[in-house]
Amino acid sequence: VQLVESGGGLVQAGGSLRLSCAASGFPFSTYNMRWYRQAPGKEREFVSRIWSGGLTNYANSVKGRFTISRDNAKNMVYLQMNNLRPEDTAVYYCNAALFNNNYWGKGTLVTVSS
């Protein structure tokens, strides 16, 4: 099983980034896919989720600014992040979950400068 995040980087406040997560080694279309983030000195927190059927959920802090999507044909999940704020600075992790299976990527760093 592999989850590989990409797309992080340095961006100014108000800017946008699109994170990608490439999945392999499990039946991707059946899994619920999530993004989490961990800021320096803080615990990892939930950002967004897309269910296997396409339903989405967002943390209140990103609602209206971030959009999660998935491409089951390509085994990819994306996080479009708009109007970024300095408080969005964190390592962003891709997560795949189904029943007792829970897989994590190694993360991609997003830094938002003020």
Side-chain angles (χ1 to χ4, degrees):
V1 172
Q2 269 199 318
L3 293 172
V4 181
E5 302 94 337
S6 61
L10 174 63
V11 64
Q12 287 189 331
S16 298
L17 282 175
R18 188 195 195 206
L19 304 185
S20 300
C21 173
S24 61
F26 62 96
F28 177 81
S29 64
T30 66
Y31 273 64
N32 302 316
M33 300 300 299
R34 311 175 211 184
W35 287 97
Y36 284 77
R37 66 186 182 187
Q38 187 166 16
K42 295 188 177 181
E43 293 189 353
R44 192 172 296 188
E45 64 174 4
F46 168 80
V47 175
S48 182
R49 168 176 48 215
I50 185 164
W51 297 81
S52 58
L55 186 68
T56 59
N57 302 102
Y58 297 93
N60 287 336
S61 59
V62 307
K63 202 172 292 183
R65 300 187 297 122
F66 291 10
T67 303
I68 190 171
S69 60
R70 65 191 297 162
D71 185 337
N72 288 338
K74 296 181 179 179
N75 285 9
M76 297 288 295
V77 63
Y78 306 99
L79 187 68
Q80 177 66 43
M81 306 186 296
N82 298 329
N83 192 20
L84 283 160
R85 305 167 180 170
E87 54 264 38
D88 294 318
T89 294
V91 177
Y92 283 72
Y93 296 92
C94 180
N95 170 265
L98 181 66
F99 301 125
N100 292 327
N101 296 326
N102 200 11
Y103 308 128
W104 292 90
K106 293 183 179 180
T108 185
L109 176 62
V110 172
T111 304
V112 184
S113 63
S114 56

